[in-house]
Amino acid sequence: PARYFDTKTTEPISFFLTGLEELLAWQPNSNDDFNVSAVPLAKRQPPLQSSRPRTLVCHDMRGGYLEDRFIQGSATSDPYVFYHWRYIDIFVYFSHHTVTIPPVVWTNAAHRNSVPVLGTFITEWTDGEKLCEAFLAGGEEAYGAVAEQLARIARHYRFDGWLINIENTLSAAAVGNLPLFLQDLTARVHSAVPGGLVIWYDSVLKDGTLRWQNELNDKNRMFFDACDGLFTNYNWKEEQLERTQRLAGPRLNDVYVGVDVFGRGDVIGGGFDTDKSLRLIRQYGLSAAIFAPGWVYEHLGKENFLQNENRFWGSLAEYLPTHSICTLPLTTSFSLGMGTSTFLDGKDEESGPWYDLSAQDIQPLYPEHQGMLSTSCCLEDAWCGGSSLQLQGTIPPGEERVAVRLFSLQMPAPPKLFLTLLYKLEGPQPDDFTVGLEVTTWDSGMCFEGNPTSLPEPNGRYHPRFLPAPPPGLAKLLAACHRGSYGWTSRCYELELQDCSLRDLSLIVSRQQPSLQETSFTCLLGEVRVLDTASVAASPPQVHSVMASQLWWQ
């Protein structure tokens, strides 16, 4: 069927629903198994619900369902990718179809990086009025059926909830039932999807007129009270943030103040000045909704997209609280889910463009220190997948080393950790440098390395012990420790900790010889793994009754 499979290639595709009839008729179907997310939402610290301002990203690009609709990837050159997941809390996939089911590749990539994904339910223009009249004015049975279907769809495809966007006027009967519909939908989503969310877009008022308020006020508050959050329109001024802050009270973080990166209308910031809007929003302790950050790709073009993307998110980083990884194993090859080649064990196995966000790895922080250090994505060389992480920087005169923070962690340290690292030093004198890992722990008088007779490290900085060869039990899994092929160097480390809590994982680049000159380096990271030795040594559970369906041979 054309909804589930591309008519030209027969490949499975992601899809949307149009109109009330299609929504109410929707049933799970064996043809859409490909659309079910295969990656559970990874845990994070602090949890999403903790009391700090959040960042929502609303992805709206040329009507949606572009090359990202191909569930098994496509040979797309220079596609749009998003990878600054550590800096955002919620991802919304937006289009103007009635029911936007997020393409599963986005859900997979976001979930792997601890970010929940929302679809969009939108009504607009006169068709929207008719649609709303049909299900909202119809009373509890009618709106309950829509709420039930939306909750079932989120549960079936394993995404995390809905943005509700009613962009048309409503009759008195319809607007009277709207808060009840939102309450009902929110309750159903919460029970169908763990951690599910329903967010309301600032549009219709309590009297049914369509008038964007750009703030939380008494005309739209009843919709905010009925769900998990409000996403405001974009044309706000500072006094509206002040009023919103007062009215939201303890639910300050549930107001997501809209920021249009395209800067349309009478707005503060936009483009590379988006930091101006965020600075103000955060002054009032409010959450932010960054709309259409694809501006970087659409407006500045595909050339140099990755550099421009890092510049854009780097300019906002000080206003974006990050979240930490809180489970092991942590393993990543830094792949963006795209490439100009496919690499395996350092070898370019297949030249040619590819795009598949489901194959995106866990993404690191992308630290920038003006003039000292830049972190970027390198498509020309990789250990596995399509890209490696490129670190370029200088070690200042008289200093021995520079530390690059890759991941923030927040979890109890197991008694014994194994860490593996694959890297490649580039530049004129790669032999002048050594590369290693550093693990920091949260300060605590209880935390020791190895046995309790050793003294605690100052600032909880630990340099894991280099192992020339992995222990026999792990040799197979850690084969990388011997294979330094195609110019890649592999390193294997062990760290024993007692009563510690992990904080950061950093890469340390050191000079071999002290120097009064500043020295520049370029290092590619191909893979990093942090493993709990005990769980690695345990044998994996047996898998029974495997079924294979939907086999197509070409």
Side-chain angles (χ1 to χ4, degrees):
R3 175 189 282 173
Y4 306 106
F5 299 99
D6 184 60
T7 46
K8 293 193 187 74
T9 64
T10 74
E11 291 170 312
I13 50 173
S14 293
F15 59 87
F16 49 85
L17 303 175
T18 305
L20 198 55
E21 280 176 28
E22 273 195 18
L23 170 59
L24 294 172
W26 176 87
Q27 289 295 343
N29 172 318
S30 64
N31 282 318
D32 70 4
D33 286 349
F34 287 114
N35 270 293
V36 176
S37 170
V39 182
L41 178 58
K43 290 189 171 68
R44 51 163 276 186
Q45 282 295 343
L48 183 66
Q49 296 308 335
S50 50
S51 58
R52 65 174 198 174
R54 303 182 198 116
T55 308
L56 176 152
V57 159
C58 190
H59 173 66
D60 174 24
M61 188 174 278
R62 300 202 301 270
Y65 300 95
L66 307 173
E67 288 78 12
D68 53 5
R69 73 184 186 280
F70 289 102
I71 295 169
Q72 295 173 334
S74 64
T76 305
S77 298
D78 305 315
Y80 175 72
V81 289
F82 177 82
Y83 50 93
H84 285 81
W85 298 109
R86 296 276 135 234
Y87 301 86
I88 76 160
D89 300 291
I90 299 167
F91 182 85
V92 179
Y93 193 88
F94 183 88
S95 83
H96 288 275
H97 303 290
T98 316
V99 179
T100 298
I101 299 168
V104 65
V105 296
W106 281 104
T107 307
N108 287 339
H111 278 186
R112 188 169 287 128
N113 288 283
S114 315
V115 173
V117 176
L118 309 187
T120 307
F121 176 70
I122 190 172
T123 66
E124 38 192 355
W125 314 108
T126 46
D127 284 350
E129 280 180 50
K130 289 178 196 155
L131 193 151
C132 289
E133 195 62 21
F135 89 92
L136 282 174
E140 193 175 343
E141 197 176 326
Y143 69 70
V146 168
E148 177 61 15
Q149 284 295 79
L150 290 174
R152 286 179 69 210
I153 287 170
R155 181 177 60 214
H156 178 71
Y157 296 114
R158 298 187 190 160
F159 62 95
D160 306 286
W162 296 98
L163 173 68
I164 305 297
N165 190 359
I166 307 290
E167 297 259 1
N168 46 257
T169 51
L170 295 176
S171 68
V175 81
N177 282 328
L178 182 53
L180 300 171
F181 163 67
L182 283 174
Q183 250 170 337
D184 187 30
L185 173 64
T186 304
R188 288 178 198 257
V189 166
H190 286 181
S191 88
V193 179
L197 293 167
V198 174
I199 293 177
W200 168 254
Y201 185 74
D202 156 29
S203 50
V204 172
L205 308 182
K206 65 180 176 186
D207 63 2
T209 53
L210 174 63
R211 217 170 43 245
W212 299 272
Q213 297 298 292
N214 306 298
E215 66 178 313
L216 173 67
N217 59 29
D218 287 330
K219 297 173 182 170
N220 60 18
R221 183 182 184 160
M222 66 290 313
F223 308 126
F224 174 62
D225 291 341
C227 68
D228 295 308
L230 168 74
F231 178 153
T232 77
N233 193 46
Y234 313 105
N235 303 312
W236 44 268
K237 294 287 171 273
E238 187 170 356
E239 58 269 23
Q240 290 171 300
L241 299 182
E242 207 175 323
R243 292 200 294 262
T244 297
Q245 179 194 45
R246 267 204 311 274
L247 193 60
R251 289 191 65 198
L252 197 60
N253 305 138
D254 294 338
V255 180
Y256 300 85
V257 179
V259 177
D260 179 4
V261 180
F262 276 84
R264 291 163 281 210
D266 180 14
V267 300
I268 293 168
F272 283 120
D273 289 330
T274 299
D275 59 322
K276 290 178 180 159
S277 342
L278 279 176
R279 184 181 308 125
L280 271 178
I281 292 167
R282 299 307 197 210
Q283 272 172 19
Y284 291 92
L286 296 158
S287 291
I290 300 175
F291 184 75
W295 170 85
V296 175
Y297 182 85
E298 293 187 70
H299 180 71
L300 301 175
K302 299 174 179 185
E303 298 75 37
N304 301 324
F305 163 62
L306 295 175
Q307 291 93 308
N308 290 331
E309 181 77 342
N310 288 345
R311 180 185 158 201
F312 175 77
W313 289 99
S315 73
L316 305 182
E318 67 175 296
Y319 305 111
L320 305 177
T322 59
H323 45 91
S324 305
I325 291 171
C326 62
T327 52
L328 293 180
L330 162 58
T331 167
T332 181
S333 302
F334 305 103
S335 182
L336 296 175
M338 62 161 285
T340 49
S341 278
T342 307
F343 293 86
L344 185 61
D345 293 347
K347 180 176 182 230
D348 184 344
E349 290 277 349
E350 193 179 345
S351 277
W354 63 275
Y355 176 47
D356 180 0
L357 286 170
S358 290
Q360 189 183 79
D361 265 315
I362 291 177
Q363 292 298 306
L365 297 163
Y366 282 87
E368 295 282 327
H369 302 293
Q370 255 41 56
M372 296 290 296
L373 174 76
S374 74
T375 318
S376 57
C377 312
C378 172
L379 299 176
E380 289 71 47
D381 198 357
W383 174 255
C384 180
S387 52
S388 56
L389 190 67
Q390 179 171 285
L391 308 170
Q392 285 177 299
T394 55
I395 300 178
E399 304 221 347
E400 286 175 31
R401 39 171 262 172
V402 63
V404 186
R405 189 163 159 251
L406 298 175
F407 293 99
S408 64
L409 310 169
Q410 203 171 329
M411 62 186 124
K416 194 189 251 186
L417 286 170
F418 269 110
L419 302 98
T420 67
L421 169 66
L422 274 148
Y423 69 90
K424 185 182 272 196
L425 279 165
E426 301 199 315
Q429 284 120 354
D431 298 340
D432 292 356
F433 301 98
T434 56
V435 175
L437 290 173
E438 178 180 86
V439 175
T440 55
T441 57
W442 292 91
D443 281 339
S444 133
M446 311 283 289
C447 171
F448 294 98
E449 182 174 2
N451 58 49
T453 55
S454 63
L455 292 169
E457 286 285 324
N459 315 332
R461 293 183 182 282
Y462 297 97
H463 300 105
R465 191 164 62 93
F466 172 59
L467 298 178
L474 290 167
K476 200 168 187 180
L477 179 80
L478 302 181
C481 291
H482 314 285
R483 23 166 236 238
S485 49
Y486 298 95
W488 292 90
T489 303
S490 60
R491 290 278 181 260
C492 206
Y493 305 91
E494 179 182 66
L495 181 60
E496 292 187 50
L497 294 171
Q498 283 198 359
D499 301 320
C500 298
S501 190
L502 300 178
R503 181 173 186 165
D504 284 317
L505 177 68
S506 300
L507 187 83
I508 305 292
V509 181
S510 316
R511 307 189 217 244
Q512 297 276 27
Q513 303 295 326
S515 166
L516 296 174
Q517 309 290 307
E518 71 168 33
T519 325
S520 302
F521 65 86
T522 299
C523 179
L524 298 183
L525 281 195
E527 183 186 75
V528 169
R529 294 192 276 193
V530 182
L531 310 169
D532 172 358
T533 316
S535 63
V536 170
S539 54
Q542 295 297 305
V543 177
H544 299 286
S545 356
V546 174
M547 300 274 290
S549 61
Q550 297 283 7
L551 301 179
W552 291 68
W553 294 94
Q554 295 197 51

